[in-house]
């Protein structure tokens, strides 16, 4: 029978079955008393201690470093809230850093010189210039200073005038030479993918990602995780400690500079289901089964698939010495990366609870990149894999020369690639902290055909640099607190919190933990037949609903798309030889 392996069960006709309304009412009455008692018990347990956080507080260090304490109230376990972080740079003079303070001083000093000479007209002119400089240097506009916006707008205008914002692939123009050479636009131009040395019983050659522009090496793995949506507080704390241990191990290796987690929710194309139906459907199958299959196929349009990747990045300056011990060249670097991959995979399967960690080969990585640019191309690849079972001559791989888009255009507010448009936004950490899994609403599509993705990057600072930065931040916080006290300026709660966090950060760094500067980028991709501006607004609304603040990556949408969608280890803050 069509799509069925067992006969239909004998069921009672709906008209002959007893009504469930009265039974449901009795069940609700029976459950109402225990539920009321449970609520009263919880309320009493909370009222005794006064506040939630004081109810049976666990010992310090029982939670992951950088997390607020969890608490247990009458058997109810709450997840840890991670809020022990602060600004990357703390200005020692009323929040101003050294370069900004120097710029303001140079603009204000001539005003006092002119006032001392009693040249009042010149004083007014210089004061106006100093006010303009203050606005350009100090006042932030959508996350950037006015000077930063001016430089970015000038660069974008020059690039558009010279045609640098439009890109066409070599394959689309008939100039493709070697199919194994990657042909990618924008910030991905310097990417080259190598086949590593054979490894394991299957002699698998994993993909080695080399970025010639940033001089880095990377490896990417496809991962599977049971998720944290239904996990208890203790299990979430375990995952948080596992992530902490992963970053600490990566820092102690003194090789890895970034650990990148990337998640994509892709509209389900139903390719596998269509193949299964075409293989198992019988012409004499029941009509009801056929209708159910048609209904399931229609509902597939509203379903999504989740793809998760992890990538670690190693700068060339750090890997050179150890690669020389393995023979040097590409093979030596491959051996070093393989050793790091084994360490990372063990940590992922351990504390973080990953059920599967599979390092990608070059064809698999090319497929992930291609579906990142064009989500709908996956259905054709699945059909090719099915045809390969009967005809080995069918090509099932995506050449790197065709893994990118045929054309891409960068605009001020979105990024256009092939038949798709994408909008990217950064995610600002809230002052109140966040729980593990708080970014889940960001991955929830608002309409069928919408693809959501985000990546979270953990840049790991070397211990020497972290020690200098922590000492500088602690000194700046103490200096700012002292200046406010001398000038009898009332200290705000946020300033006090930043000072306390600076001291706690130094204590944790002294205990051996790694210092990282995490950031996240979210991206939405839709077809060009849909209004991308509307979906960008919905993405920002999802970020705010998750408890974070969105910041649109205007004038840098191509870099945001590449970082949030493609598992190539790209970031927004990395510099060459860092």
């Amino acid at each position: 029978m069509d799509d069925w392996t067992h006969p239909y069960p004998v069921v009672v006709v709906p008209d002959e079955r007893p009504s469930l309304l009265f039974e449901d009412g009795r069940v609700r009455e029976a459950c109402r008393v225990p539920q009321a008692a449970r609520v009263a018990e919880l309320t009493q347990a909370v009222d005794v201690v006064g506040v939630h956080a004081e109810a049976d507080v666990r010992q310090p260090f029982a939670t992951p470093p950088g997390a607020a304490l969890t608490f247990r109230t009458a058997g109810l376990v709450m997840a840890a809230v991670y809020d022990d972080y602060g600004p990357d740079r703390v200005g020692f003079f009323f929040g101003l850093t050294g370069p900004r303070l120097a710029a303001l001083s140079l603009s204000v000093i001539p005003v006092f010189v002119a006032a001392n000479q009693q040249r009042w007209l010149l004083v007014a002119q210089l004061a106006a210039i100093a006010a303009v400089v203050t606005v350009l240097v100090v006042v932030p506009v959508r996350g950037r200073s006015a000077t930063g916006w001016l430089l970015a707008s000038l660069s974008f205008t020059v690039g558009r005038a010279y045609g640098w914002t439009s890109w066409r692939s070599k394959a689309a123009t008939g100039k493709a030479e070697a199919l194994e050479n990657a042909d990618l636009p924008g910030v991905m131009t310097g990417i080259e993918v190598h086949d590593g040395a054979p490894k394991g019983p299957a002699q698998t050659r994993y993909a080695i990602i080399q970025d010639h522009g940033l001089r880095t090496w990377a490896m990417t793995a496809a991962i599977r995780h049971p998720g944290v949506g239904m996990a208890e507080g203790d299990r979430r704390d375990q995952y948080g400690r596992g992530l902490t241990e992963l970053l600490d191990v990566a820092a102690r290796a003194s090789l890895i500079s970034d650990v990148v987690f990337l998640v994509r929710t892709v509209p389900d194309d139903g390719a596998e289901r269509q193949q299964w139906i075409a293989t198992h459907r019988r012409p004499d199958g029941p009509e009801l089964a056929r209708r159910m299959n048609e209904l399931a196929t229609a509902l597939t349009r509203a379903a999504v698939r989740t793809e998760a990747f992890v990538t670690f990045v190693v700068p060339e300056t750090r890997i050179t010495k150890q690669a020389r011990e393995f023979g040097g060249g590409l093979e030596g670097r491959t051996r070093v990366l393989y050793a790091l991959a084994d360490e990372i995979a063990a940590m992922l399967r351990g504390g973080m609870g990953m059920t599967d960690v599979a390092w990608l080969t070059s064809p698999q990585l090319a497929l992930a990149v291609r579906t990142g640019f064009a989500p709908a191309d996956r259905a054709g690849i699945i059909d090719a894999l099915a045809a390969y079972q009967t005809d080995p001559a069918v090509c099932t791989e995506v050449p790197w020369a065709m893994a990118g888009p045929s054309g891409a255009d960068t605009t001020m507010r979105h990024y256009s690639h092939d038949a798709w448009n994408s909008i990217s936004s950064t995610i600002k950490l809230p002052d109140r902290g966040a729980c593990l899994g708080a970014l889940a609403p960001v991955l929830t599509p608002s309409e069928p055909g919408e693809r959501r993705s985000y990546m979270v990057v953990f840049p790991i600072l070397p211990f020497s640099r972290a020690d200098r930065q922590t000492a500088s931040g602690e000194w700046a916080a103490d200096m700012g607190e002292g200046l406010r006290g001398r000038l009898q300026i009332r200290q705000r709660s946020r300033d006090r919190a930043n000072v306390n966090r600076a001291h706690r950060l130094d204590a944790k760094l002294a205990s051996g933990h790694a210092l990282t500067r995490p950031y996240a980028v979210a991206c939405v991709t839709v077809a060009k037949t849909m209004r991308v501006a509307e979906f960008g607004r919905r993405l920002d609304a999802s970020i705010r609903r998750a408890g974070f603040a969105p910041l649109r990556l205007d004038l840098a949408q191509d870099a945001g798309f590449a970082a949030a969608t493609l598992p190539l280890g790209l970031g927004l803050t990395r510099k060459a030889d860092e």
Side-chain angles (χ1 to χ4, degrees):
M1 289 180 290
D2 184 16
D3 301 341
W4 294 89
T5 58
H6 57 83
Y8 297 124
V10 179
V11 297
V12 181
V13 180
D15 294 338
E16 299 177 2
R17 299 183 66 183
S19 175
L20 297 178
L21 296 178
F22 182 72
E23 295 182 2
D24 291 346
R26 289 187 297 182
V27 171
R28 287 196 298 270
E29 288 294 336
C31 295
R32 185 173 300 164
V33 176
Q35 290 177 357
R38 177 62 172 163
V39 172
E41 181 183 357
L42 294 177
T43 306
Q44 182 179 4
V46 174
D47 291 340
V48 170
V49 296
V51 294
H52 290 72
E54 298 175 1
D56 192 12
V57 179
R58 298 181 181 180
Q59 297 296 326
F61 304 108
T63 54
L69 296 177
T70 59
F71 57 91
R72 186 186 301 270
T73 305
L76 183 63
V77 181
M78 303 300 292
V81 178
Y82 297 84
D83 62 349
D84 203 357
Y85 48 78
D88 187 19
R89 296 181 180 178
V90 180
F92 65 92
F93 187 80
F94 299 101
L96 298 178
T97 59
R100 292 184 176 181
L101 181 61
L104 292 181
S105 301
L106 292 177
S107 63
V108 172
I109 288 177
V111 178
F112 291 101
V113 173
N116 188 32
Q117 298 176 358
Q118 298 184 357
R119 301 173 61 181
W120 306 115
L121 180 59
L122 182 60
V123 168
Q125 296 174 352
L126 293 177
I129 296 176
V132 173
V133 172
T134 302
V135 172
L136 292 177
V137 174
V138 177
V139 179
V141 180
R142 295 180 61 86
R144 306 181 195 175
S145 63
T147 306
W149 278 110
L150 181 62
L151 295 177
S153 301
L154 182 61
S155 301
F156 184 82
T157 303
V158 173
R160 178 173 249 179
Y162 282 93
W164 298 338
T165 57
S166 297
W167 180 87
R168 296 296 177 266
S169 66
K170 296 179 181 179
T173 56
K175 299 178 181 179
E177 299 176 356
L179 295 180
E180 65 274 9
N181 294 336
D183 185 19
L184 302 175
V187 296
M188 301 160 282
T189 304
I191 294 293
E192 183 179 1
V193 181
H194 307 277
D195 288 326
K199 183 182 179 182
Q203 295 293 289
T204 306
R205 294 178 176 269
Y206 297 115
I208 306 297
I209 307 170
Q210 182 183 8
D211 192 334
H212 293 279
L214 297 177
R215 300 189 63 194
T216 58
W217 301 81
M219 285 187 66
T220 298
I223 57 178
R224 292 183 181 180
H225 193 273
V228 297
M230 302 298 293
E232 298 290 341
D234 290 338
R235 181 59 60 86
R236 294 195 183 196
D237 293 349
Q238 175 188 341
Y239 294 155
R241 286 191 294 270
L243 177 59
T244 301
E245 294 172 359
L246 171 65
L247 298 178
D248 289 342
V249 169
R252 284 192 290 269
S254 300
L255 290 175
I256 299 176
S257 64
D258 297 82
V259 178
V260 184
F261 292 92
L262 190 148
V263 183
R264 302 190 305 203
T265 53
V266 187
D268 193 357
D269 48 31
E272 292 89 346
R273 181 175 182 83
Q274 291 295 337
Q275 292 179 4
W276 191 92
I277 292 177
T279 304
H280 295 81
R281 171 167 288 177
R282 296 175 55 180
D284 55 345
E287 181 65 23
L288 179 59
R290 188 179 299 275
R291 291 184 179 180
M292 291 184 63
N293 284 322
E294 294 176 354
L295 177 61
T297 302
L299 292 177
T300 303
R301 302 174 182 174
V304 295
R305 294 178 296 102
T306 302
E307 302 171 349
F309 305 91
V310 60
T311 305
F312 67 90
V313 182
V314 180
E316 172 67 22
T317 54
R318 301 185 188 181
I319 199 176
T320 303
K321 183 177 180 180
Q322 291 202 14
R324 195 177 298 118
E325 299 177 358
F326 286 92
L330 176 60
E331 184 177 359
R333 287 163 175 79
T334 300
R335 299 297 181 185
V336 176
L337 292 175
Y338 278 1
L340 294 174
D342 293 337
E343 294 185 33
I344 295 296
M347 299 301 298
L348 292 173
R349 291 191 178 97
M352 295 196 66
M354 300 292 177
T355 58
D356 185 29
V357 179
W359 298 102
L360 300 182
T361 62
S362 181
Q364 293 172 344
L365 184 60
L367 175 59
V369 172
R370 181 56 194 164
T371 54
F373 282 105
D377 285 8
R378 179 182 176 274
I381 297 173
I382 296 300
D383 294 339
L385 291 174
Y388 179 80
Q389 302 298 327
T390 57
D391 185 5
V394 176
C395 179
T396 59
E397 299 180 356
V398 178
W400 272 106
M402 301 178 183
S406 59
D409 298 285
T410 303
T411 63
M412 185 176 297
R413 299 281 290 175
H414 71 273
Y415 181 59
S416 177
H417 46 97
D418 284 344
W420 307 84
N421 288 328
S422 298
I423 288 182
S424 303
S425 297
T426 56
I427 300 175
K428 299 174 62 178
L429 290 172
D431 294 334
R432 63 181 182 181
C435 296
L436 197 66
L439 288 174
V442 180
L443 292 175
T444 305
S446 60
E447 284 189 15
E450 177 185 2
R451 199 265 305 277
R452 295 279 186 95
S453 63
Y454 73 74
M455 69 101 179
V456 180
V457 185
F458 294 92
I460 303 173
L461 274 68
F463 283 111
S464 58
R465 182 179 176 186
D467 185 68
R468 292 194 305 268
Q469 182 170 336
T470 304
S472 176
E474 190 175 11
W475 176 83
D478 293 339
M479 178 67 71
E481 186 180 16
L483 288 175
R484 293 186 183 90
R486 287 181 176 274
L487 297 177
Q488 296 183 354
I489 298 177
R490 183 176 178 272
Q491 190 175 18
R492 301 181 59 186
S493 299
R494 176 173 296 182
D495 298 329
R496 286 194 299 269
N498 290 335
V499 173
N500 295 332
R501 287 171 179 172
H503 291 288
R504 291 197 303 267
L505 184 62
D506 182 64
K508 291 180 179 179
L509 186 65
S511 63
H513 293 295
L515 180 63
T516 179
R517 298 181 295 185
Y519 63 93
V521 181
C523 180
V524 58
T525 301
V526 295
K528 286 187 176 180
T529 56
M530 309 169 75
R531 297 186 59 182
V532 67
E534 174 65 20
F535 287 92
R537 186 194 63 79
R538 296 179 184 179
L539 175 65
D540 294 344
S542 299
I543 296 175
R544 285 190 290 267
R545 188 168 63 252
F548 300 85
L551 183 61
R552 189 74 60 87
L553 285 174
D554 293 334
L555 301 176
Q557 289 291 331
D558 55 341
F561 168 83
T565 307
L566 307 180
L568 296 175
L570 301 172
L572 299 180
T573 61
R574 194 179 306 120
K575 299 179 181 179
D577 297 334
E578 184 176 358

